[in-house]
Amino acid sequence: MSHPTAADGATPATMRAVVITHPGGLDALEVKDVPVPARKPGWVRVEVRAFGVNESEVMTRKGESDAEVTYPRVPGIEGVGVVDEADEADEDSGLHPGQQVATMMGGMGRSYDGAYAQYVTVPAGQVIPFETGLPWDVVGALPEMFQTAYGSLTRGLDLKSGQTLLIRGGTSTVGLSAATMAKEIGATVISTTRNAERGAELRAMGVDHPVVDDGHLAEKVRDLVPQGVDAALELVGCTVLPDTFGCVRVHGAVCFTGALGGGWSIPDFSPFMIPSGVRLTSYAGEATDLPAQVFQQQLQAIADGRLKAPVAKTYRGLDQVRDAQADVESGTTPGKHVVLLGD
């Protein structure tokens, strides 16, 4: 029988957390003193140092998530920090007290309490250990968008060096992250924005060809790549999916990952709407799709200046969570909004 180990110093009995007791506006995000969550066997308790703020958490606050989400709930689908307590058996996998870790997804902040808090407990299987000297707000921007971008490019599209990639929804956090990863892989990247003034921002993230998305991309993309791109990452939604198909070459692939513009389904869908020879897949993965070794490599690439972390703004403390969600909801600043806890 294993016995728990804890970090030096006693863990407090209570903590501050953002709690949603019922869906609503920004005032539904209440900062409260609540008990520090008890850790179950096979789970890890993490002292949270930073967390990213995501559109899905805005939906949870509004009551627009699926039935998995119940209230009251501490939101937050991702977070980074240090291990506070873990099973002794987990030390073999690197999950010892004081270890830097990231965690995301897996029902976190939805079916059980998430990272908008000083402490969070999560299953050990969705905890990624790492070592870095990067600031916590930079690291806090990465887990969910890196996991989604990496999984989409690898498991979804199997992107290779020398290929061409279209990212539709390029100024989103996943789109920006995917662009930097695709350049690291060695691909040529075409990425979209609805605002021509943001083309420079895309180029700064390594995009080769920023393109203004007016709902009709196929002709613009084929002016750049006459035969069509090898791969397309769809982040805008089903409303533009037929047009995205027109950007892709025969035997190329489209990976449906997000619906920033709405439209998660196609009424009266017919398989024959997919052009002959073009492949359609999807990605909606979990923390296990981002191997610890890959995450560590990406952290090192940021430290070396080879990869850029698209941080839009850092907020200090739980009292600024309402401001962070308001900025995410407005959509005026591309990049990740990160809440930093502690020093």
Side-chain angles (χ1 to χ4, degrees):
M1 179 177 179
S2 64
H3 299 281
T5 56
D8 292 338
T11 302
T14 62
M15 67 176 184
R16 299 185 81 218
V18 174
V19 182
I20 303 172
T21 56
H22 55 79
L26 291 170
D27 58 356
L29 298 165
E30 300 181 77
V31 180
K32 296 183 175 184
D33 289 326
V34 300
V36 169
R39 184 188 61 85
K40 298 182 286 189
W43 286 48
V44 176
R45 185 164 61 208
V46 177
E47 183 181 352
V48 180
R49 298 294 175 85
F51 57 85
V53 177
N54 299 282
E55 293 183 3
S56 67
E57 295 145 6
V58 174
M59 295 175 65
T60 293
R61 187 250 299 166
K62 290 180 172 182
E64 297 175 355
S65 298
D66 56 32
E68 177 188 13
V69 178
T70 57
Y71 303 92
R73 177 64 60 228
V74 176
I77 65 170
E78 64 174 326
V80 296
V82 295
V83 172
D84 178 66
E85 186 180 90
D87 288 343
E88 283 186 353
D90 288 329
E91 294 203 16
D92 294 336
S93 60
L95 301 181
H96 54 81
Q99 170 66 51
Q100 294 176 313
V101 292
T103 185
M104 73 208 85
M105 313 295 282
M108 180 180 172
R110 297 172 60 81
S111 60
Y112 60 89
D113 286 341
Y116 282 26
Q118 291 177 299
Y119 293 87
V120 64
T121 57
V122 294
Q126 68 178 62
V127 179
I128 301 172
F130 63 86
E131 298 286 348
T132 187
L134 291 170
W136 281 112
D137 56 333
V138 172
V139 183
L142 306 178
E144 187 272 341
M145 68 177 180
F146 265 18
Q147 173 260 313
T148 303
Y150 179 79
S152 297
L153 296 182
T154 56
R155 186 172 180 179
L157 291 169
D158 194 26
L159 188 69
K160 305 295 185 185
S161 177
Q163 291 188 323
T164 52
L165 170 71
L166 168 66
I167 303 173
R168 193 159 197 170
T171 57
S172 66
T173 57
V174 173
L176 294 170
S177 183
T180 62
M181 289 184 182
K183 292 306 297 180
E184 185 81 355
I185 290 171
T188 298
V189 178
I190 303 168
S191 191
T192 72
T193 173
R194 290 177 295 176
N195 185 344
E197 296 179 357
R198 292 191 174 177
E201 297 170 4
L202 291 175
R203 287 192 183 278
M205 299 305 293
V207 170
D208 298 286
H209 304 287
V211 176
V212 175
D213 189 351
D214 59 3
H216 304 283
L217 276 184
E219 185 175 345
K220 296 179 181 180
V221 169
R222 287 185 179 269
D223 282 344
L224 295 168
V225 188
Q227 75 275 18
V229 297
D230 299 295
L233 174 56
E234 180 60 76
L235 300 172
V236 174
C238 287
T239 53
V240 298
L241 190 57
D243 184 55
T244 301
F245 285 146
C247 301
V248 181
R249 67 168 175 82
V250 173
H251 298 158
V254 178
C255 180
F256 187 97
T257 295
L260 295 170
W264 288 97
S265 61
I266 300 176
D268 302 319
F269 171 78
S270 167
F272 290 105
M273 71 173 290
I274 304 173
S276 179
V278 174
R279 294 151 182 169
L280 173 64
T281 187
S282 65
Y283 180 76
E286 300 293 345
T288 52
D289 290 340
L290 181 60
Q293 180 183 5
V294 171
F295 190 55
Q296 186 68 56
Q297 290 170 347
Q298 291 164 343
L299 291 171
Q300 189 60 50
I302 292 172
D304 293 343
R306 293 182 287 109
L307 202 62
K308 295 183 180 180
V311 178
K313 186 175 179 180
T314 299
Y315 307 79
R316 296 188 177 274
L318 295 174
D319 292 323
Q320 292 195 356
V321 164
R322 290 182 182 180
D323 294 338
Q325 279 215 1
D327 289 344
V328 168
E329 198 169 4
S330 72
T332 55
T333 307
K336 195 78 173 192
H337 298 259
V338 183
V339 176
L340 182 66
L341 304 185
D343 297 331

